[in-house]
Coordinates of all heavy atoms in Angstrom, one line a residue:
M1 N -46.6 101.8 54.1 CA -45.9 100.6 53.9 C -44.8 100.8 52.9 O -45.0 101.5 51.9 CB -47.0 99.6 53.3 CG -46.4 98.2 53.0 SD -46.2 97.1 54.4 CE -47.8 97.0 55.1
S2 N -43.7 100.2 53.1 CA -42.5 100.3 52.2 C -41.9 98.9 51.9 O -42.2 98.0 52.7 CB -41.5 101.3 52.7 OG -40.9 100.7 53.9
T3 N -41.2 98.9 50.8 CA -40.5 97.6 50.5 C -39.1 97.8 50.8 O -38.4 98.7 50.5 CB -40.7 97.3 49.0 OG1 -42.0 97.3 48.7 CG2 -40.0 96.1 48.6
V4 N -38.6 96.8 51.6 CA -37.1 96.7 51.9 C -36.5 95.5 51.3 O -37.1 94.4 51.4 CB -37.0 96.7 53.5 CG1 -35.5 96.5 53.9 CG2 -37.5 98.0 54.1
A5 N -35.4 95.6 50.7 CA -34.6 94.5 50.1 C -33.4 94.3 51.0 O -32.7 95.2 51.3 CB -34.2 94.8 48.7
L6 N -33.2 93.0 51.4 CA -32.0 92.6 52.1 C -31.2 91.8 51.2 O -31.6 90.9 50.5 CB -32.4 91.8 53.4 CG -33.3 92.3 54.4 CD1 -33.4 91.4 55.6 CD2 -32.8 93.7 54.9
M7 N -29.9 92.2 51.1 CA -28.9 91.5 50.2 C -27.9 90.9 51.1 O -27.3 91.5 52.0 CB -28.3 92.5 49.3 CG -29.3 93.1 48.3 SD -28.5 94.3 47.2 CE -27.4 93.2 46.3
W8 N -27.6 89.6 50.8 CA -26.6 88.8 51.6 C -25.7 88.2 50.6 O -26.1 87.6 49.6 CB -27.4 87.7 52.3 CG -26.6 86.7 53.1 CD1 -26.4 86.7 54.5 CD2 -25.9 85.5 52.6 NE1 -25.7 85.6 54.8 CE2 -25.4 84.9 53.7 CE3 -25.8 85.0 51.3 CZ2 -24.7 83.7 53.6 CZ3 -25.1 83.8 51.2 CH2 -24.5 83.2 52.3
E9 N -24.4 88.4 50.7 CA -23.4 87.9 49.7 C -22.2 87.3 50.4 O -21.7 87.8 51.4 CB -22.9 89.1 48.8 CG -22.1 88.6 47.7 CD -20.6 88.8 47.9 OE1 -20.2 89.5 48.9 OE2 -19.8 88.2 47.2
A10 N -21.8 86.1 49.9 CA -20.7 85.4 50.5 C -19.9 84.8 49.4 O -20.4 84.5 48.3 CB -21.2 84.3 51.5
R11 N -18.6 84.6 49.7 CA -17.7 83.9 48.8 C -17.2 82.6 49.4 O -16.7 82.6 50.5 CB -16.5 84.8 48.5 CG -15.6 84.2 47.4 CD -14.5 85.2 47.0 NE -13.6 84.5 46.1 CZ -12.5 85.0 45.7 NH1 -12.1 86.2 46.1 NH2 -11.7 84.4 44.8
A12 N -17.4 81.5 48.6 CA -17.1 80.2 49.1 C -15.6 79.9 49.2 O -14.8 80.5 48.4 CB -17.8 79.1 48.2
A13 N -15.2 79.1 50.1 CA -13.8 78.6 50.1 C -13.6 77.8 48.8 O -14.5 77.4 48.1 CB -13.7 77.7 51.3
A14 N -12.3 77.7 48.4 CA -11.9 77.1 47.1 C -12.6 75.8 46.9 O -12.6 74.9 47.8 CB -10.4 76.9 47.1
G15 N -13.3 75.6 45.8 CA -13.9 74.4 45.4 C -15.2 74.1 46.1 O -15.8 73.0 45.9
R16 N -15.8 75.0 46.9 CA -17.0 74.7 47.7 C -18.2 75.6 47.3 O -19.1 75.8 48.0 CB -16.7 74.9 49.1 CG -15.6 73.9 49.6 CD -15.3 73.9 51.0 NE -16.5 73.3 51.7 CZ -16.6 73.2 53.1 NH1 -15.6 73.8 53.8 NH2 -17.6 72.7 53.7
G17 N -18.1 76.2 46.0 CA -19.2 77.0 45.6 C -20.5 76.4 45.5 O -21.5 77.0 46.0
N18 N -20.6 75.2 45.0 CA -21.9 74.5 45.0 C -22.4 74.2 46.4 O -23.6 74.3 46.6 CB -21.8 73.2 44.2 CG -21.7 73.5 42.7 OD1 -22.2 74.5 42.2 ND2 -21.1 72.5 41.9
E19 N -21.5 73.9 47.3 CA -22.0 73.6 48.7 C -22.5 74.9 49.3 O -23.5 74.8 50.0 CB -20.8 73.1 49.5 CG -21.1 72.6 50.8 CD -19.9 72.0 51.6 OE1 -18.8 71.8 50.9 OE2 -20.0 71.8 52.8
L20 N -21.8 76.0 49.1 CA -22.4 77.3 49.7 C -23.7 77.6 49.0 O -24.6 78.1 49.7 CB -21.3 78.4 49.4 CG -21.8 79.8 49.9 CD1 -22.0 79.8 51.4 CD2 -20.8 80.9 49.5
L21 N -23.8 77.4 47.7 CA -25.1 77.7 47.1 C -26.2 76.9 47.7 O -27.3 77.4 48.0 CB -25.0 77.4 45.6 CG -26.2 77.6 44.7 CD1 -26.7 79.1 44.7 CD2 -26.0 77.1 43.3
E22 N -26.0 75.6 47.8 CA -27.0 74.7 48.4 C -27.3 75.1 49.9 O -28.4 75.0 50.3 CB -26.6 73.2 48.3 CG -26.7 72.7 46.9 CD -28.0 73.0 46.2 OE1 -29.1 72.8 46.8 OE2 -28.0 73.5 45.1
W23 N -26.3 75.5 50.6 CA -26.5 75.9 52.0 C -27.4 77.1 52.0 O -28.4 77.2 52.8 CB -25.1 76.3 52.6 CG -25.2 76.7 54.1 CD1 -25.2 76.0 55.2 CD2 -25.5 78.1 54.5 NE1 -25.4 76.8 56.3 CE2 -25.6 78.1 55.9 CE3 -25.6 79.3 53.8 CZ2 -25.8 79.2 56.6 CZ3 -25.8 80.4 54.6 CH2 -25.9 80.4 56.0
A24 N -27.1 78.1 51.2 CA -27.9 79.3 51.2 C -29.4 79.0 50.8 O -30.3 79.6 51.3 CB -27.3 80.4 50.2
R25 N -29.5 78.2 49.8 CA -30.9 77.8 49.3 C -31.7 77.1 50.4 O -32.9 77.1 50.4 CB -30.8 77.0 48.1 CG -30.3 77.8 46.9 CD -30.0 76.9 45.7 NE -31.2 76.6 45.0 CZ -31.3 75.8 43.9 NH1 -30.2 75.2 43.5 NH2 -32.4 75.7 43.3
S26 N -31.0 76.3 51.3 CA -31.7 75.5 52.2 C -32.1 76.3 53.5 O -32.8 75.7 54.4 CB -30.9 74.3 52.6 OG -29.7 74.7 53.3
Q27 N -31.6 77.5 53.7 CA -31.8 78.2 54.9 C -33.3 78.6 55.1 O -33.9 79.2 54.1 CB -30.9 79.5 55.0 CG -29.5 79.1 55.1 CD -29.1 78.2 56.2 OE1 -29.3 78.6 57.4 NE2 -28.6 77.0 55.9
V28 N -33.9 78.3 56.2 CA -35.3 78.7 56.5 C -35.3 79.9 57.4 O -34.6 79.9 58.4 CB -36.0 77.5 57.2 CG1 -37.4 77.9 57.6 CG2 -36.0 76.3 56.3
L29 N -36.0 80.9 57.0 CA -36.1 82.1 57.8 C -37.3 82.0 58.8 O -38.2 81.2 58.6 CB -36.3 83.3 56.9 CG -35.2 83.6 55.9 CD1 -35.6 84.7 54.9 CD2 -33.9 84.0 56.6
A30 N -37.3 82.9 59.8 CA -38.3 82.8 60.8 C -39.7 83.0 60.2 O -40.7 82.4 60.7 CB -38.1 83.9 61.8
Y31 N -39.8 83.8 59.1 CA -41.0 83.9 58.3 C -40.7 84.2 56.9 O -39.5 84.7 56.6 CB -42.1 84.8 58.9 CG -41.6 86.2 59.3 CD1 -41.7 87.3 58.4 CD2 -41.0 86.5 60.5 CE1 -41.3 88.5 58.7 CE2 -40.5 87.8 60.8 CZ -40.7 88.8 59.9 OH -40.2 90.0 60.2
E32 N -41.6 84.0 56.0 CA -41.3 84.1 54.6 C -41.3 85.6 54.1 O -42.3 86.3 54.4 CB -42.2 83.3 53.7 CG -42.0 81.8 53.9 CD -40.6 81.4 53.4 OE1 -40.2 81.8 52.3 OE2 -39.9 80.7 54.1
P33 N -40.3 85.9 53.3 CA -40.4 87.3 52.6 C -41.4 87.3 51.5 O -41.9 86.2 51.1 CB -39.0 87.4 52.1 CG -38.5 86.0 51.8 CD -39.2 85.2 52.9
V34 N -41.7 88.4 51.0 CA -42.6 88.6 49.8 C -41.9 87.9 48.6 O -42.6 87.2 47.8 CB -42.8 90.1 49.5 CG1 -43.6 90.2 48.2 CG2 -43.5 90.7 50.6
R35 N -40.6 88.0 48.5 CA -39.9 87.4 47.4 C -38.5 87.0 47.9 O -37.9 87.7 48.7 CB -39.8 88.4 46.3 CG -39.2 87.9 45.0 CD -39.4 89.0 44.0 NE -38.4 88.8 42.8 CZ -38.2 89.7 41.9 NH1 -38.9 90.8 41.9 NH2 -37.4 89.5 40.9
R36 N -37.9 86.0 47.3 CA -36.5 85.6 47.6 C -35.9 85.0 46.3 O -36.5 84.2 45.7 CB -36.6 84.5 48.7 CG -35.2 83.9 49.1 CD -35.4 82.9 50.2 NE -34.2 82.3 50.5 CZ -34.0 81.6 51.7 NH1 -35.0 81.5 52.5 NH2 -32.8 81.0 51.9
E37 N -34.7 85.5 46.0 CA -34.0 85.1 44.9 C -32.5 84.7 45.3 O -32.0 85.4 46.1 CB -33.9 86.1 43.8 CG -35.3 86.3 43.1 CD -35.1 87.1 41.8 OE1 -34.4 86.7 40.9 OE2 -35.7 88.2 41.8
V38 N -32.0 83.7 44.7 CA -30.6 83.3 44.9 C -29.8 83.4 43.6 O -30.3 82.9 42.6 CB -30.6 81.9 45.5 CG1 -29.2 81.4 45.8 CG2 -31.4 81.8 46.8
F39 N -28.6 83.9 43.7 CA -27.8 84.1 42.5 C -26.4 83.5 42.7 O -26.0 83.5 43.9 CB -27.6 85.6 42.2 CG -28.9 86.4 41.9 CD1 -29.6 86.9 43.0 CD2 -29.4 86.5 40.6 CE1 -30.8 87.6 42.8 CE2 -30.5 87.2 40.4 CZ -31.3 87.8 41.5
R40 N -25.8 83.2 41.7 CA -24.3 82.8 41.7 C -23.6 83.7 40.8 O -24.1 84.2 39.9 CB -24.1 81.3 41.4 CG -24.4 81.0 40.0 CD -24.0 79.6 39.5 NE -23.9 78.7 40.6 CZ -23.9 77.3 40.5 NH1 -24.0 76.8 39.3 NH2 -23.7 76.6 41.5
A41 N -22.2 83.8 41.1 CA -21.4 84.7 40.4 C -20.0 84.1 40.3 O -19.7 83.1 41.0 CB -21.3 86.1 41.0
P42 N -19.1 84.6 39.4 CA -17.8 84.1 39.4 C -17.1 84.1 40.7 O -17.5 84.9 41.6 CB -17.1 85.0 38.4 CG -18.2 85.5 37.5 CD -19.4 85.6 38.4
Q43 N -16.0 83.4 40.9 CA -15.3 83.3 42.1 C -16.1 82.6 43.3 O -15.9 82.9 44.4 CB -14.7 84.6 42.6 CG -13.8 85.2 41.5 CD -13.3 86.6 42.0 OE1 -14.0 87.4 42.6 NE2 -12.1 86.9 41.6
D44 N -17.0 81.8 42.9 CA -17.9 81.0 43.8 C -18.6 81.9 44.8 O -18.7 81.6 46.0 CB -17.0 80.0 44.6 CG -16.7 78.8 43.7 OD1 -17.4 78.5 42.7 OD2 -15.6 78.2 43.9
R45 N -19.1 83.0 44.3 CA -19.9 84.0 45.2 C -21.4 83.6 45.1 O -21.9 83.2 44.0 CB -19.7 85.4 44.8 CG -18.3 85.9 45.2 CD -18.0 87.3 44.7 NE -17.9 87.3 43.3 CZ -18.4 88.3 42.5 NH1 -19.0 89.3 43.0 NH2 -18.3 88.2 41.2
V46 N -22.1 83.8 46.2 CA -23.5 83.5 46.2 C -24.2 84.8 46.8 O -23.7 85.4 47.8 CB -23.8 82.3 47.1 CG1 -25.3 82.1 47.3 CG2 -23.2 81.0 46.6
L47 N -25.3 85.2 46.2 CA -26.0 86.4 46.6 C -27.5 85.9 46.8 O -28.1 85.3 46.0 CB -26.0 87.4 45.5 CG -26.9 88.6 45.6 CD1 -26.4 89.5 46.8 CD2 -26.9 89.5 44.4
V48 N -28.0 86.3 47.9 CA -29.4 86.1 48.2 C -30.1 87.5 48.5 O -29.6 88.3 49.3 CB -29.6 85.2 49.5 CG1 -31.1 85.0 49.8 CG2 -28.9 83.9 49.3
V49 N -31.2 87.7 47.8 CA -31.9 89.0 47.9 C -33.3 88.6 48.4 O -34.0 87.7 47.8 CB -32.0 89.8 46.6 CG1 -32.8 91.1 46.9 CG2 -30.6 90.0 46.1
T50 N -33.8 89.2 49.5 CA -35.1 89.0 50.0 C -35.8 90.3 50.0 O -35.2 91.4 50.3 CB -35.2 88.4 51.4 OG1 -34.4 89.2 52.3 CG2 -34.6 86.9 51.4
W51 N -37.1 90.3 49.7 CA -38.0 91.5 49.7 C -39.0 91.4 50.8 O -39.7 90.4 50.9 CB -38.7 91.7 48.3 CG -37.8 92.2 47.2 CD1 -37.6 93.5 46.8 CD2 -37.0 91.4 46.4 NE1 -36.8 93.5 45.7 CE2 -36.3 92.2 45.5 CE3 -36.7 90.0 46.3 CZ2 -35.4 91.8 44.5 CZ3 -35.8 89.6 45.4 CH2 -35.2 90.4 44.5
W52 N -39.2 92.5 51.5 CA -40.2 92.5 52.6 C -41.0 93.8 52.5 O -40.6 94.8 52.2 CB -39.4 92.6 53.9 CG -38.4 91.5 54.1 CD1 -37.1 91.5 53.6 CD2 -38.5 90.2 54.7 NE1 -36.5 90.3 53.9 CE2 -37.3 89.5 54.5 CE3 -39.6 89.6 55.3 CZ2 -37.2 88.2 55.0 CZ3 -39.5 88.3 55.8 CH2 -38.3 87.6 55.6
E53 N -42.3 93.6 52.9 CA -43.2 94.8 53.1 C -43.3 95.1 54.6 O -43.5 94.2 55.4 CB -44.6 94.4 52.5 CG -44.6 94.2 51.1 CD -44.3 95.4 50.2 OE1 -44.5 96.5 50.7 OE2 -43.8 95.2 49.1
T54 N -43.0 96.3 54.9 CA -43.0 96.7 56.3 C -43.5 98.1 56.5 O -43.3 99.0 55.6 CB -41.6 96.5 56.9 OG1 -41.6 96.9 58.3 CG2 -40.5 97.3 56.2
D55 N -44.0 98.4 57.7 CA -44.4 99.8 58.0 C -43.2 100.5 58.7 O -43.3 101.7 58.9 CB -45.6 99.8 59.0 CG -46.9 99.3 58.4 OD1 -47.1 99.6 57.2 OD2 -47.7 98.7 59.1
E56 N -42.2 99.8 59.0 CA -41.1 100.4 59.8 C -39.9 100.8 58.9 O -38.9 101.3 59.3 CB -40.6 99.4 60.8 CG -41.7 99.1 61.8 CD -41.3 97.8 62.6 OE1 -40.1 97.6 62.9 OE2 -42.2 97.1 63.0
G57 N -40.0 100.6 57.6 CA -38.9 101.0 56.7 C -37.6 100.2 56.9 O -37.6 99.1 57.4
I58 N -36.5 100.8 56.5 CA -35.2 100.1 56.5 C -34.8 99.7 57.9 O -34.0 98.8 58.0 CB -34.2 101.0 55.8 CG1 -33.1 100.2 55.3 CG2 -33.8 102.2 56.7 CD1 -32.2 100.9 54.3
A59 N -35.3 100.3 58.9 CA -35.0 99.9 60.3 C -35.7 98.7 60.9 O -35.5 98.3 62.0 CB -35.2 101.1 61.2
A60 N -36.6 98.2 60.1 CA -37.5 97.1 60.5 C -36.6 95.9 61.0 O -35.6 95.6 60.4 CB -38.4 96.6 59.4
E61 N -37.1 95.2 62.0 CA -36.5 93.9 62.4 C -37.0 92.8 61.5 O -38.2 92.5 61.4 CB -37.0 93.6 63.9 CG -36.5 94.5 64.9 CD -35.1 94.2 65.3 OE1 -34.6 93.0 65.2 OE2 -34.4 95.1 65.8
L62 N -36.1 92.3 60.7 CA -36.4 91.3 59.7 C -35.4 90.1 59.8 O -34.3 90.3 60.1 CB -36.3 91.9 58.3 CG -37.2 93.1 58.0 CD1 -36.8 93.8 56.7 CD2 -38.6 92.6 57.9
P63 N -35.9 88.9 59.5 CA -35.0 87.8 59.6 C -34.0 87.8 58.5 O -34.3 88.1 57.4 CB -36.0 86.6 59.5 CG -37.2 87.1 58.8 CD -37.3 88.6 59.2
E64 N -32.8 87.5 58.8 CA -31.7 87.5 57.9 C -31.0 86.1 57.8 O -31.0 85.4 58.8 CB -30.7 88.6 58.2 CG -31.2 90.0 58.1 CD -30.2 91.0 58.1 OE1 -29.2 90.9 57.4 OE2 -30.4 92.0 58.8
L65 N -30.3 85.8 56.7 CA -29.6 84.6 56.7 C -28.4 84.7 57.6 O -27.8 85.8 57.8 CB -29.0 84.4 55.3 CG -30.1 84.0 54.2 CD1 -29.4 83.9 52.8 CD2 -30.8 82.7 54.5
P66 N -28.0 83.6 58.3 CA -26.9 83.7 59.2 C -25.6 83.6 58.5 O -25.5 83.4 57.2 CB -27.1 82.4 60.1 CG -27.8 81.5 59.1 CD -28.7 82.3 58.3
E67 N -24.5 83.6 59.2 CA -23.2 83.3 58.7 C -23.0 81.8 58.5 O -23.4 81.0 59.4 CB -22.1 83.8 59.7 CG -21.9 85.2 59.8 CD -21.0 85.9 58.8 OE1 -20.0 85.2 58.4 OE2 -21.2 87.0 58.5
P68 N -22.5 81.4 57.4 CA -22.2 80.0 57.2 C -21.0 79.5 58.1 O -20.4 80.4 58.6 CB -21.8 79.8 55.7 CG -22.1 81.1 55.1 CD -22.2 82.2 56.2
A69 N -20.8 78.3 58.2 CA -19.6 77.8 58.9 C -18.4 78.5 58.3 O -18.2 78.7 57.1 CB -19.5 76.3 58.8
A70 N -17.4 78.8 59.2 CA -16.2 79.5 58.8 C -15.4 78.8 57.7 O -14.8 79.5 56.8 CB -15.4 79.8 60.0
D71 N -15.4 77.5 57.7 CA -14.6 76.8 56.7 C -15.3 76.7 55.3 O -14.7 76.3 54.4 CB -14.3 75.4 57.2 CG -15.5 74.5 57.3 OD1 -16.7 75.0 57.6 OD2 -15.4 73.3 57.3
L72 N -16.5 77.2 55.2 CA -17.3 77.2 54.0 C -17.1 78.5 53.2 O -17.3 78.5 52.0 CB -18.8 77.0 54.2 CG -19.7 76.8 53.0 CD1 -19.3 75.7 52.1 CD2 -21.1 76.6 53.5
I73 N -16.6 79.5 53.9 CA -16.4 80.9 53.2 C -15.0 81.4 53.4 O -14.3 80.9 54.2 CB -17.5 81.9 53.8 CG1 -17.3 82.0 55.3 CG2 -18.9 81.5 53.4 CD1 -18.2 83.0 56.0
T74 N -14.7 82.3 52.5 CA -13.3 82.9 52.5 C -13.2 84.2 53.3 O -12.2 84.7 53.6 CB -12.8 83.2 51.1 OG1 -13.7 84.1 50.5 CG2 -12.7 81.9 50.3
R75 N -14.4 84.8 53.7 CA -14.4 86.1 54.4 C -15.8 86.2 55.0 O -16.7 85.4 54.7 CB -14.2 87.3 53.4 CG -15.2 87.3 52.3 CD -15.1 88.6 51.5 NE -15.8 88.6 50.3 CZ -17.1 88.5 50.1 NH1 -17.9 88.5 51.2 NH2 -17.7 88.5 48.9
A76 N -16.0 87.2 55.9 CA -17.3 87.4 56.5 C -18.3 87.8 55.4 O -18.0 88.3 54.4 CB -17.2 88.6 57.5
V77 N -19.5 87.4 55.7 CA -20.6 87.7 54.8 C -20.8 89.2 54.7 O -20.7 90.0 55.7 CB -21.9 87.1 55.3 CG1 -23.2 87.6 54.6 CG2 -21.8 85.6 55.3
H78 N -21.1 89.7 53.5 CA -21.5 91.1 53.3 C -23.0 91.2 53.3 O -23.7 90.4 52.7 CB -20.9 91.6 51.9 CG -19.4 91.7 51.9 ND1 -18.8 92.1 50.8 CD2 -18.5 91.5 52.9 CE1 -17.5 92.1 51.1 NE2 -17.3 91.7 52.3
R79 N -23.5 92.3 53.9 CA -25.0 92.5 54.0 C -25.3 93.9 53.7 O -24.6 94.8 54.1 CB -25.4 92.2 55.4 CG -25.2 90.8 55.9 CD -25.5 90.7 57.4 NE -25.0 89.4 57.9 CZ -25.6 88.3 57.9 NH1 -26.9 88.2 57.5 NH2 -25.1 87.2 58.4
W80 N -26.4 94.1 53.0 CA -26.8 95.5 52.7 C -28.4 95.5 52.8 O -29.0 94.5 52.6 CB -26.5 95.9 51.2 CG -25.1 95.9 50.9 CD1 -24.2 96.9 51.1 CD2 -24.3 94.8 50.3 NE1 -22.9 96.5 50.6 CE2 -23.0 95.2 50.2 CE3 -24.7 93.5 49.9 CZ2 -22.0 94.4 49.6 CZ3 -23.7 92.7 49.4 CH2 -22.4 93.2 49.2
R81 N -28.9 96.7 53.1 CA -30.3 96.9 53.2 C -30.7 98.1 52.3 O -30.0 99.1 52.3 CB -30.8 97.3 54.6 CG -30.8 96.1 55.6 CD -31.3 96.6 56.9 NE -31.6 95.4 57.7 CZ -32.7 95.2 58.4 NH1 -33.7 96.0 58.4 NH2 -32.8 94.1 59.0
F82 N -31.7 97.9 51.5 CA -32.2 99.0 50.6 C -33.7 99.2 50.8 O -34.4 98.2 51.0 CB -31.9 98.6 49.2 CG -30.5 98.5 48.8 CD1 -29.8 97.3 48.9 CD2 -29.8 99.6 48.4 CE1 -28.5 97.2 48.6 CE2 -28.4 99.5 48.1 CZ -27.8 98.3 48.2
E83 N -34.1 100.4 50.8 CA -35.5 100.7 50.8 C -36.0 101.3 49.5 O -35.3 102.2 48.9 CB -35.8 101.7 51.9 CG -37.3 102.0 52.2 CD -37.5 102.9 53.4 OE1 -36.5 103.4 54.0 OE2 -38.7 103.0 53.8
S84 N -37.1 100.8 49.0 CA -37.6 101.3 47.7 C -38.0 102.7 47.8 O -38.6 103.1 48.8 CB -38.8 100.4 47.3 OG -39.4 100.8 46.1
V85 N -37.7 103.5 46.8 CA -38.1 104.9 46.7 C -38.9 105.1 45.5 O -38.7 104.5 44.5 CB -36.9 105.8 46.8 CG1 -36.2 105.7 48.2 CG2 -35.9 105.6 45.7
E86 N -39.7 106.1 45.5 CA -40.5 106.5 44.3 C -39.6 107.1 43.3 O -38.7 107.9 43.6 CB -41.6 107.5 44.7 CG -42.5 107.8 43.6 CD -43.6 108.7 44.1 OE1 -43.9 108.7 45.3 OE2 -44.1 109.5 43.3
V87 N -39.8 106.7 42.0 CA -38.9 107.2 40.9 C -39.7 108.3 40.2 O -40.9 108.2 39.9 CB -38.6 106.1 39.9 CG1 -37.8 106.6 38.8 CG2 -37.8 105.0 40.6
A88 N -39.1 109.5 40.1 CA -39.7 110.6 39.3 C -39.7 110.2 37.8 O -38.8 109.6 37.3 CB -38.9 111.9 39.5
T89 N -40.8 110.6 37.2 CA -40.9 110.3 35.8 C -40.5 111.6 35.0 O -40.8 112.7 35.4 CB -42.4 109.9 35.4 OG1 -43.3 111.0 35.8 CG2 -42.8 108.6 36.1
G90 N -39.9 111.3 33.8 CA -39.6 112.4 32.9 C -38.4 113.3 33.3 O -38.2 114.3 32.7
G91 N -37.7 112.9 34.3 CA -36.6 113.7 34.7 C -35.4 112.9 35.0 O -35.3 111.7 34.8
S92 N -34.3 113.6 35.4 CA -33.1 112.9 35.8 C -33.0 112.8 37.3 O -33.7 113.5 38.0 CB -31.9 113.6 35.2 OG -31.9 114.9 35.7
F93 N -32.1 112.0 37.7 CA -31.9 111.8 39.2 C -31.3 112.9 39.9 O -30.5 113.7 39.6 CB -31.0 110.5 39.4 CG -31.7 109.3 39.0 CD1 -31.7 108.8 37.7 CD2 -32.5 108.6 39.9 CE1 -32.3 107.7 37.3 CE2 -33.2 107.4 39.5 CZ -33.1 107.0 38.3

């Protein structure tokens, strides 16, 4: 079993940051992740991170947030996937 984090980031159209934030918070996924956090940043950016437990690792089929309406964002959504790795103790990377 491994933990996979999906990151979704979008930048709102001018003056629509709160609307994008509410849109992201209201999205319902096909099933619930282990954890979900929503962040805001300067320039009306919104970041959503979801954590999943899976036997398939980073290649797992997982529900992701969709693209918002084109007029709500300034560019295509950025998406990243990360898989948790064991950290060595007492040493450097």
Side-chain angles (χ1 to χ4, degrees):
M1 181 79 56
S2 65
T3 301
V4 173
L6 302 184
M7 295 177 65
W8 176 103
E9 187 262 343
R11 184 172 177 190
R16 299 187 71 185
N18 286 336
E19 189 178 346
L20 178 61
L21 179 63
E22 289 308 312
W23 179 90
R25 292 171 80 183
S26 71
Q27 296 305 298
V28 176
L29 298 171
Y31 52 95
E32 287 300 310
V34 172
R35 182 173 164 189
R36 178 176 174 164
E37 288 192 60
V38 180
F39 302 86
R40 67 171 19 162
Q43 301 177 325
D44 289 331
R45 289 178 292 141
V46 174
L47 172 70
V48 179
V49 182
T50 55
W51 285 263
W52 306 87
E53 295 295 331
T54 177
D55 290 327
E56 300 166 30
I58 204 162
E61 291 281 333
L62 300 168
E64 296 194 43
L65 292 176
E67 288 274 329
D71 65 335
L72 185 57
I73 55 177
T74 61
R75 57 167 168 70
V77 169
H78 292 176
R79 300 169 193 272
W80 301 272
R81 284 180 171 234
F82 296 90
E83 186 172 11
S84 180
V85 294
E86 188 175 333
V87 177
T89 58
S92 59
F93 291 88

